[in-house]
Short mmCIF file of all heavy atoms in Angstrom, two decimals:
data_model
loop_
_atom_site.label_atom_id
_atom_site.label_comp_id
_atom_site.label_asym_id
_atom_site.label_seq_id
_atom_site.Cartn_x
_atom_site.Cartn_y
_atom_site.Cartn_z
N ALA A 1 43.86 22.36 57.62
CA ALA A 1 44.73 21.18 57.57
C ALA A 1 44.96 20.75 56.12
O ALA A 1 46.04 20.26 55.77
CB ALA A 1 44.12 20.04 58.38
N GLY A 2 43.95 20.94 55.27
CA GLY A 2 44.08 20.52 53.88
C GLY A 2 44.63 21.58 52.95
O GLY A 2 44.98 21.30 51.80
N MET A 3 44.71 22.83 53.41
CA MET A 3 45.05 23.94 52.51
C MET A 3 46.53 24.08 52.20
O MET A 3 46.91 24.36 51.09
CB MET A 3 44.56 25.26 53.12
CG MET A 3 43.11 25.52 52.86
SD MET A 3 42.51 26.88 53.88
CE MET A 3 43.12 28.31 53.02
N PHE A 4 47.36 23.95 53.21
CA PHE A 4 48.76 24.32 53.03
C PHE A 4 49.71 23.12 53.08
O PHE A 4 50.90 23.26 53.30
CB PHE A 4 49.17 25.37 54.07
CG PHE A 4 48.32 26.62 53.99
CD1 PHE A 4 47.42 26.93 55.01
CD2 PHE A 4 48.40 27.46 52.90
CE1 PHE A 4 46.63 28.07 54.93
CE2 PHE A 4 47.61 28.60 52.81
CZ PHE A 4 46.72 28.91 53.82
N GLY A 5 49.15 21.91 52.89
CA GLY A 5 49.99 20.71 52.88
C GLY A 5 50.51 20.34 54.26
O GLY A 5 50.18 20.97 55.26
N GLY A 6 51.34 19.29 54.31
CA GLY A 6 51.96 18.91 55.57
C GLY A 6 51.25 17.78 56.31
O GLY A 6 51.78 17.21 57.24
N PHE A 7 50.01 17.48 55.89
CA PHE A 7 49.30 16.35 56.49
C PHE A 7 49.20 15.23 55.45
O PHE A 7 48.74 15.48 54.34
CB PHE A 7 47.88 16.74 56.93
CG PHE A 7 47.86 17.62 58.15
CD1 PHE A 7 47.94 19.00 58.03
CD2 PHE A 7 47.75 17.07 59.42
CE1 PHE A 7 47.92 19.82 59.15
CE2 PHE A 7 47.73 17.88 60.55
CZ PHE A 7 47.82 19.26 60.42
N SER A 8 49.61 14.04 55.82
CA SER A 8 49.56 12.94 54.85
C SER A 8 48.12 12.48 54.66
O SER A 8 47.25 12.78 55.49
CB SER A 8 50.41 11.78 55.35
OG SER A 8 49.76 11.21 56.47
N SER A 9 47.89 11.72 53.59
CA SER A 9 46.53 11.23 53.32
C SER A 9 46.07 10.30 54.46
O SER A 9 44.87 10.18 54.71
CB SER A 9 46.48 10.50 51.99
OG SER A 9 47.40 9.44 52.00
N SER A 10 47.02 9.67 55.16
CA SER A 10 46.63 8.77 56.26
C SER A 10 45.97 9.54 57.41
O SER A 10 45.11 9.01 58.11
CB SER A 10 47.83 7.97 56.77
OG SER A 10 48.74 8.83 57.42
N PHE A 11 46.36 10.80 57.59
CA PHE A 11 45.72 11.64 58.62
C PHE A 11 44.22 11.75 58.31
O PHE A 11 43.38 11.52 59.17
CB PHE A 11 46.37 13.03 58.66
CG PHE A 11 45.61 14.04 59.49
CD1 PHE A 11 45.82 14.13 60.86
CD2 PHE A 11 44.66 14.89 58.91
CE1 PHE A 11 45.11 15.04 61.65
CE2 PHE A 11 43.94 15.80 59.68
CZ PHE A 11 44.18 15.88 61.06
N PHE A 12 43.92 12.11 57.06
CA PHE A 12 42.52 12.32 56.68
C PHE A 12 41.72 11.03 56.62
O PHE A 12 40.58 10.98 57.06
CB PHE A 12 42.44 13.06 55.33
CG PHE A 12 42.99 14.46 55.40
CD1 PHE A 12 44.25 14.76 54.91
CD2 PHE A 12 42.26 15.48 55.99
CE1 PHE A 12 44.77 16.05 54.99
CE2 PHE A 12 42.76 16.79 56.07
CZ PHE A 12 44.02 17.06 55.58
N SER A 13 42.34 9.95 56.08
CA SER A 13 41.57 8.70 55.96
C SER A 13 41.24 8.13 57.34
O SER A 13 40.14 7.63 57.56
CB SER A 13 42.30 7.68 55.08
OG SER A 13 43.58 7.43 55.59
N THR A 14 42.19 8.23 58.27
CA THR A 14 41.92 7.72 59.63
C THR A 14 40.84 8.58 60.30
O THR A 14 39.94 8.07 60.96
CB THR A 14 43.20 7.73 60.50
OG1 THR A 14 44.25 7.15 59.75
CG2 THR A 14 43.01 6.95 61.78
N TYR A 15 40.94 9.90 60.10
CA TYR A 15 39.94 10.82 60.65
C TYR A 15 38.54 10.44 60.14
O TYR A 15 37.60 10.27 60.91
CB TYR A 15 40.26 12.26 60.27
CG TYR A 15 39.24 13.26 60.79
CD1 TYR A 15 39.42 13.89 62.02
CD2 TYR A 15 38.08 13.54 60.06
CE1 TYR A 15 38.47 14.77 62.52
CE2 TYR A 15 37.13 14.42 60.55
CZ TYR A 15 37.33 15.04 61.77
OH TYR A 15 36.38 15.91 62.27
N HIS A 16 38.44 10.28 58.81
CA HIS A 16 37.11 10.02 58.21
C HIS A 16 36.60 8.61 58.46
O HIS A 16 35.41 8.35 58.29
CB HIS A 16 37.12 10.36 56.72
CG HIS A 16 37.16 11.83 56.45
ND1 HIS A 16 36.21 12.69 56.94
CD2 HIS A 16 38.05 12.59 55.78
CE1 HIS A 16 36.51 13.93 56.58
NE2 HIS A 16 37.61 13.90 55.88
N SER A 17 37.48 7.70 58.88
CA SER A 17 36.98 6.38 59.26
C SER A 17 36.19 6.49 60.56
O SER A 17 35.31 5.68 60.85
CB SER A 17 38.12 5.37 59.39
OG SER A 17 38.92 5.68 60.51
N LYS A 18 36.47 7.53 61.35
CA LYS A 18 35.72 7.77 62.60
C LYS A 18 34.58 8.78 62.40
O LYS A 18 33.54 8.68 63.03
CB LYS A 18 36.67 8.30 63.69
CG LYS A 18 37.68 7.27 64.13
CD LYS A 18 38.23 7.61 65.51
CE LYS A 18 38.47 6.32 66.28
NZ LYS A 18 38.39 6.47 67.70
N ILE A 19 34.84 9.79 61.57
CA ILE A 19 33.80 10.80 61.28
C ILE A 19 33.68 10.89 59.75
O ILE A 19 34.42 11.64 59.10
CB ILE A 19 34.18 12.20 61.86
CG1 ILE A 19 34.40 12.10 63.39
CG2 ILE A 19 33.09 13.22 61.55
CD1 ILE A 19 34.81 13.41 64.06
N PRO A 20 32.76 10.11 59.17
CA PRO A 20 32.61 10.12 57.70
C PRO A 20 32.16 11.49 57.19
O PRO A 20 31.53 12.26 57.93
CB PRO A 20 31.53 9.06 57.44
CG PRO A 20 31.45 8.24 58.69
CD PRO A 20 31.84 9.16 59.82
N LYS A 21 32.49 11.77 55.92
CA LYS A 21 32.08 13.04 55.32
C LYS A 21 30.56 13.08 55.18
O LYS A 21 29.97 12.15 54.63
CB LYS A 21 32.70 13.20 53.93
CG LYS A 21 34.21 13.40 53.96
CD LYS A 21 34.76 13.54 52.55
CE LYS A 21 36.28 13.68 52.58
NZ LYS A 21 36.87 13.82 51.25
N ALA A 22 29.95 14.15 55.67
CA ALA A 22 28.49 14.31 55.55
C ALA A 22 28.17 14.87 54.16
O ALA A 22 29.04 15.49 53.53
CB ALA A 22 27.99 15.26 56.64
N PRO A 23 26.93 14.68 53.66
CA PRO A 23 26.57 15.24 52.36
C PRO A 23 26.84 16.75 52.33
O PRO A 23 26.55 17.45 53.30
CB PRO A 23 25.06 14.95 52.26
CG PRO A 23 24.80 13.84 53.21
CD PRO A 23 25.83 13.95 54.30
N GLY A 24 27.42 17.22 51.23
CA GLY A 24 27.73 18.65 51.09
C GLY A 24 29.07 19.04 51.69
O GLY A 24 29.43 20.22 51.75
N PHE A 25 29.85 18.03 52.10
CA PHE A 25 31.15 18.29 52.77
C PHE A 25 32.07 19.17 51.92
O PHE A 25 32.66 20.12 52.43
CB PHE A 25 31.85 16.95 53.09
CG PHE A 25 33.26 17.11 53.62
CD1 PHE A 25 33.48 17.25 54.98
CD2 PHE A 25 34.36 17.14 52.76
CE1 PHE A 25 34.77 17.43 55.49
CE2 PHE A 25 35.65 17.31 53.26
CZ PHE A 25 35.86 17.46 54.62
N GLU A 26 32.20 18.85 50.62
CA GLU A 26 33.19 19.55 49.78
C GLU A 26 32.89 21.05 49.70
O GLU A 26 33.80 21.88 49.78
CB GLU A 26 33.28 18.95 48.37
CG GLU A 26 33.65 17.46 48.32
CD GLU A 26 34.94 17.07 49.06
OE1 GLU A 26 35.82 17.92 49.25
OE2 GLU A 26 35.05 15.89 49.47
N LYS A 27 31.62 21.37 49.54
CA LYS A 27 31.26 22.80 49.43
C LYS A 27 31.51 23.53 50.75
O LYS A 27 32.03 24.65 50.78
CB LYS A 27 29.80 22.94 49.01
CG LYS A 27 29.46 24.39 48.67
CD LYS A 27 28.22 24.54 47.82
CE LYS A 27 28.17 25.95 47.23
NZ LYS A 27 27.00 26.16 46.37
N ARG A 28 31.16 22.88 51.86
CA ARG A 28 31.39 23.52 53.16
C ARG A 28 32.89 23.63 53.45
O ARG A 28 33.34 24.59 54.07
CB ARG A 28 30.69 22.73 54.29
CG ARG A 28 29.18 22.89 54.28
CD ARG A 28 28.55 22.27 55.50
NE ARG A 28 28.86 20.85 55.65
CZ ARG A 28 28.19 19.87 55.06
NH1 ARG A 28 27.16 20.13 54.29
NH2 ARG A 28 28.55 18.60 55.26
N ASN A 29 33.66 22.67 52.96
CA ASN A 29 35.11 22.73 53.13
C ASN A 29 35.67 23.99 52.46
O ASN A 29 36.54 24.67 52.99
CB ASN A 29 35.76 21.46 52.56
CG ASN A 29 37.22 21.35 52.96
OD1 ASN A 29 37.58 21.45 54.13
ND2 ASN A 29 38.09 21.15 51.99
N LYS A 30 35.11 24.32 51.27
CA LYS A 30 35.50 25.56 50.57
C LYS A 30 35.13 26.79 51.41
O LYS A 30 35.88 27.76 51.49
CB LYS A 30 34.77 25.66 49.23
CG LYS A 30 35.41 24.87 48.13
CD LYS A 30 35.45 25.66 46.84
CE LYS A 30 36.41 25.10 45.81
NZ LYS A 30 37.14 23.90 46.19
N LEU A 31 33.94 26.72 52.02
CA LEU A 31 33.48 27.83 52.86
C LEU A 31 34.43 28.03 54.04
O LEU A 31 34.77 29.17 54.40
CB LEU A 31 32.06 27.53 53.37
CG LEU A 31 31.44 28.57 54.30
CD1 LEU A 31 31.12 29.86 53.54
CD2 LEU A 31 30.18 28.02 54.96
N TYR A 32 34.88 26.93 54.64
CA TYR A 32 35.80 27.03 55.77
C TYR A 32 37.20 27.46 55.32
O TYR A 32 37.91 28.14 56.05
CB TYR A 32 35.84 25.70 56.54
CG TYR A 32 34.52 25.37 57.21
CD1 TYR A 32 34.04 24.06 57.25
CD2 TYR A 32 33.75 26.37 57.80
CE1 TYR A 32 32.82 23.77 57.86
CE2 TYR A 32 32.54 26.09 58.40
CZ TYR A 32 32.07 24.79 58.43
OH TYR A 32 30.87 24.51 59.03
N GLN A 33 37.57 27.08 54.09
CA GLN A 33 38.84 27.58 53.54
C GLN A 33 38.78 29.09 53.36
O GLN A 33 39.76 29.78 53.57
CB GLN A 33 39.13 26.90 52.19
CG GLN A 33 39.59 25.46 52.32
CD GLN A 33 39.97 24.85 50.98
OE1 GLN A 33 39.86 25.48 49.94
NE2 GLN A 33 40.41 23.61 51.02
N LEU A 34 37.59 29.58 52.96
CA LEU A 34 37.42 31.02 52.77
C LEU A 34 37.82 31.79 54.02
O LEU A 34 38.53 32.79 53.94
CB LEU A 34 35.96 31.32 52.39
CG LEU A 34 35.60 32.82 52.28
CD1 LEU A 34 36.39 33.50 51.16
CD2 LEU A 34 34.10 33.00 52.06
N PHE A 35 37.38 31.30 55.19
CA PHE A 35 37.76 31.97 56.44
C PHE A 35 39.29 32.10 56.53
O PHE A 35 39.82 33.16 56.87
CB PHE A 35 37.24 31.20 57.66
CG PHE A 35 37.92 31.63 58.95
CD1 PHE A 35 37.52 32.78 59.60
CD2 PHE A 35 38.99 30.91 59.47
CE1 PHE A 35 38.17 33.21 60.76
CE2 PHE A 35 39.65 31.32 60.62
CZ PHE A 35 39.23 32.47 61.27
N ASN A 36 40.00 31.02 56.21
CA ASN A 36 41.46 31.02 56.33
C ASN A 36 42.13 31.94 55.31
O ASN A 36 43.13 32.58 55.62
CB ASN A 36 42.00 29.59 56.23
CG ASN A 36 41.61 28.77 57.45
OD1 ASN A 36 42.07 29.03 58.55
ND2 ASN A 36 40.71 27.81 57.28
N TYR A 37 41.57 32.00 54.10
CA TYR A 37 42.13 32.93 53.10
C TYR A 37 41.96 34.39 53.55
O TYR A 37 42.87 35.20 53.42
CB TYR A 37 41.47 32.72 51.73
CG TYR A 37 42.02 31.52 50.98
CD1 TYR A 37 41.17 30.53 50.49
CD2 TYR A 37 43.39 31.37 50.76
CE1 TYR A 37 41.66 29.42 49.82
CE2 TYR A 37 43.90 30.26 50.08
CZ TYR A 37 43.03 29.29 49.61
OH TYR A 37 43.52 28.20 48.94
N ILE A 38 40.77 34.70 54.09
CA ILE A 38 40.55 36.10 54.54
C ILE A 38 41.46 36.41 55.72
O ILE A 38 42.04 37.50 55.81
CB ILE A 38 39.07 36.36 54.94
CG1 ILE A 38 38.11 35.92 53.84
CG2 ILE A 38 38.86 37.85 55.21
CD1 ILE A 38 36.64 35.88 54.28
N ASN A 39 41.59 35.45 56.63
CA ASN A 39 42.48 35.63 57.78
C ASN A 39 43.92 35.87 57.32
O ASN A 39 44.64 36.71 57.86
CB ASN A 39 42.39 34.40 58.69
CG ASN A 39 43.19 34.55 59.97
OD1 ASN A 39 43.14 35.58 60.65
ND2 ASN A 39 43.96 33.54 60.32
N HIS A 40 44.34 35.16 56.27
CA HIS A 40 45.69 35.36 55.72
C HIS A 40 45.81 36.71 55.03
O HIS A 40 46.85 37.37 55.12
CB HIS A 40 46.05 34.22 54.76
CG HIS A 40 46.58 33.01 55.48
ND1 HIS A 40 45.80 32.25 56.32
CD2 HIS A 40 47.82 32.46 55.52
CE1 HIS A 40 46.54 31.28 56.83
NE2 HIS A 40 47.76 31.38 56.37
N TRP A 41 44.77 37.13 54.35
CA TRP A 41 44.76 38.46 53.72
C TRP A 41 44.94 39.52 54.82
O TRP A 41 45.75 40.44 54.69
CB TRP A 41 43.44 38.63 52.96
CG TRP A 41 43.26 39.92 52.20
CD1 TRP A 41 44.10 40.99 52.15
CD2 TRP A 41 42.13 40.26 51.37
NE1 TRP A 41 43.57 41.99 51.35
CE2 TRP A 41 42.36 41.56 50.85
CE3 TRP A 41 40.96 39.60 51.02
CZ2 TRP A 41 41.44 42.21 50.00
CZ3 TRP A 41 40.05 40.24 50.17
CH2 TRP A 41 40.30 41.53 49.67
N ASN A 42 44.22 39.35 55.93
CA ASN A 42 44.34 40.31 57.04
C ASN A 42 45.73 40.29 57.68
O ASN A 42 46.22 41.33 58.12
CB ASN A 42 43.28 40.03 58.11
CG ASN A 42 41.96 40.71 57.79
OD1 ASN A 42 41.95 41.87 57.40
ND2 ASN A 42 40.85 40.00 57.94
#
């Protein structure tokens, strides 16, 4: 959702008001982006 644009910041802020970012979120977000990059390579 965050990789290729198209979602406004209000999407994420409303989401995180219900599910706050857990410690280590940014690094794991990179890890989950990795899956999508490899999938796109394939």
Side-chain angles (χ1 to χ4, degrees):
M3 278 168 78
F4 302 111
F7 287 88
S8 69
S9 58
S10 68
F11 169 86
F12 294 102
S13 57
T14 313
Y15 178 92
H16 287 303
S17 69
K18 293 201 144 207
I19 303 178
K21 291 180 182 180
F25 173 89
E26 302 305 336
K27 189 161 195 179
R28 287 188 302 275
N29 191 51
K30 278 223 164 0
L31 178 69
Y32 294 141
Q33 285 184 358
L34 174 63
F35 164 80
N36 291 293
Y37 281 127
I38 308 168
N39 185 46
H40 276 67
W41 182 357
N42 275 316

